Amino acid sequence: MKQRNIIDQAKLYCLQQKERLTKPRLEVLKIIATSSKPMGAYKILEKLGKVIQSPKPPTAYRAIEFWQKKGFIHRIESLNAYVVCQAGHRHNGGQFLICDDCGTVIETHMSDLTETVNNCVANNTFTPSSWNFEIHGLCDQCQSE
């Protein structure tokens, strides 16, 4: 998803949902959206410091948490890093292909997997708060190098 598109969607979402779109929130989303690779919280905080004077870690963490709860970003658990949602921010579960060489993350949507997870949790009377499915390997470009 292009940065401008995700920012426009975020502004519209906040307006429609009557959520506060603070400067730190907007800047954190811009930082994540412009990164070609997943970013850790400290890297996000470092970049945030270039646009907001002396931001404190809780400022970045609160903004990250806000966008994650609203579905605009995903946490890549195995990397302890964040990427912007590539699929319009309203879906259940995250599925990611992660290149161990270059760090590229590809968001996928395997509908059969989502259906299987939903059936499994329903059959076990369990309600997940979130889930990620991560596959590590090599992307096409790294395989050919």
Side-chain angles (χ1 to χ4, degrees), residues 109-123:
H109 296 278
M110 299 175 256
S111 59
D112 292 345
L113 180 60
T114 301
E115 185 177 327
T116 300
V117 169
N118 288 337
N119 289 337
C120 177
V121 298
N123 290 338

Side-chain angles (χ1 to χ4, degrees), residues 55-86:
K56 303 287 187 255
T59 302
Y61 283 113
R62 281 192 298 266
I64 290 167
E65 180 182 18
F66 174 81
W67 292 121
Q68 189 177 5
K69 281 183 178 177
K70 303 306 178 189
F72 281 84
I73 64 173
H74 297 293
R75 183 171 189 265
I76 306 300
E77 302 290 336
S78 62
L79 302 176
N80 195 20
Y82 302 89
V83 294
V84 72
C85 178
Q86 296 295 321

Side-chain angles (χ1 to χ4, degrees), residues 26-71:
L26 185 59
E27 292 303 327
V28 163
L29 186 59
K30 285 179 184 178
I31 290 165
I32 296 169
T34 56
S35 178
S36 62
K37 305 278 192 277
M39 293 186 77
Y42 283 108
K43 187 70 171 173
I44 293 167
L45 179 63
E46 179 185 311
K47 289 190 173 270
L48 186 60
K50 295 177 181 176
V51 291
I52 295 177
Q53 186 176 359
S54 303
K56 303 287 187 255
T59 302
Y61 283 113
R62 281 192 298 266
I64 290 167
E65 180 182 18
F66 174 81
W67 292 121
Q68 189 177 5
K69 281 183 178 177
K70 303 306 178 189

Side-chain angles (χ1 to χ4, degrees), residues 1-8 29-31 33-34:
M1 181 170 297
K2 302 217 187 256
Q3 178 201 5
R4 172 72 14 228
N5 191 17
I6 192 80
I7 299 305
D8 290 343
L29 186 59
K30 285 179 184 178
I31 290 165
T34 56

Side-chain angles (χ1 to χ4, degrees), residues 93-138:
Q95 301 135 47
F96 306 98
L97 306 175
I98 304 164
C99 181
D100 292 324
D101 195 17
C102 71
T104 297
V105 173
I106 301 165
E107 183 175 344
T108 66
H109 296 278
M110 299 175 256
S111 59
D112 292 345
L113 180 60
T114 301
E115 185 177 327
T116 300
V117 169
N118 288 337
N119 289 337
C120 177
V121 298
N123 290 338
N124 289 295
T125 60
F126 181 81
T127 304
S129 57
S130 67
W131 62 276
N132 278 354
F133 182 73
E134 301 176 11
I135 301 172
H136 283 262
L138 294 176

